[in-house]
Amino acid sequence: MKIAPCLALGITAVMVLSASTGNRKVTQNKLSPSADTSISLGGHTVTIEYNAPSARGRKVEGGLIPSGAVWRLGADSATTLTTDADIAIGDLHLPKGVYTLYLQGGEDSWKLVVNKQTGQWGTEYNKDQDLGTTAMTLTKLPQPVETLKITLKSTGAKTGMLDIAWGTTQAVVPIKLT
C-alpha cells in the first residue's frame, strides 16, 4: 500500500509547482530569494512573482528606491503580475494577461507602474511599454521592514488590496475584478 503516500506526494508536488505561473524566470539568489503572492477574485487568479531584496544596512527610501525615478520593484528578473481576468488596480484597468510591475518612489507618494513588456531583467525598463500608473496610499511603519514584502490580500469576493512594505513605508492600492 505504498501507492497512496506516493500519490499524495505527487499531488502535493504538482500543487506547489503550479503555484508559479511560468511567466517569470526564477533565479536562485540567497540574498534576494524568489517570492510570490496570489489572490482569488471571483474565482479568477491574480499572481505576483518577484525576488525579495533585503536592506542589509542600506537606505531604502531615497536610496534603494530612488526618489522620483522608476525602480524595478524587486531584484533579478522583472517582477511579474499575471491575471486570468480583467482587473482594476487603483484607477488603472488591466485586461487579462501578463505585466511587469515597477514603482515610482517619492518622499510623500509612490506610484505603481504597470508595463506591458515582459520576460526582461528587472533593470530593463521601457517607458514606451507602460500601460499606466496608479497612486498608492502610504503609511509610515513604526519598525522598518528588512526584506521587501509584496502581498495580495482579500477584502471581499471580488476585491482585494495590493500591499508593498519595505523600509519604513507601507504602500497599498485596491484591486478588483472588472
Side-chain angles (χ1 to χ4, degrees), residues 21-177:
T21 64
N23 291 321
R24 180 179 181 276
K25 181 178 169 36
V26 175
T27 56
Q28 301 303 317
N29 181 342
K30 291 179 184 177
L31 296 177
S32 300
S34 293
D36 62 72
T37 182
S38 292
I39 190 172
S40 178
L41 300 174
H44 297 278
T45 303
V46 178
T47 301
I48 297 175
E49 297 168 282
Y50 65 105
N51 277 62
S54 294
R56 298 188 311 274
R58 300 173 291 178
K59 182 179 178 182
V60 174
E61 298 89 345
L64 295 170
I65 301 176
S67 187
V70 174
W71 177 67
R72 67 190 300 170
L73 188 56
D76 298 348
S77 295
T79 294
T80 303
L81 180 143
T82 304
T83 176
D84 66 5
D86 295 354
I87 61 171
I89 299 179
D91 58 4
L92 186 60
H93 176 76
L94 282 71
K96 70 179 179 178
V98 181
Y99 302 93
T100 296
L101 300 180
Y102 294 93
L103 185 75
Q104 185 172 10
E107 287 186 36
D108 299 320
S109 67
W110 283 10
K111 290 182 181 176
L112 183 69
V113 180
V114 179
N115 190 277
K116 296 178 282 187
Q117 180 183 5
T118 61
Q120 74 277 21
W121 195 249
T123 55
E124 296 175 28
Y125 171 66
N126 181 347
K127 182 175 178 47
D128 294 337
Q129 292 290 316
D130 283 356
L131 181 68
T133 64
T134 190
M136 303 186 79
T137 301
L138 300 185
T139 303
K140 287 297 176 191
L141 299 170
Q143 295 293 322
V145 174
E146 171 65 18
T147 302
L148 173 69
K149 182 72 175 170
I150 302 173
T151 309
L152 290 168
K153 301 175 183 178
S154 178
T155 58
K158 297 181 180 183
T159 61
M161 195 67 69
L162 168 56
D163 183 325
I164 300 170
W166 200 24
T168 58
T169 304
Q170 178 181 29
V172 297
V173 63
I175 181 172
K176 67 180 179 179
L177 190 64

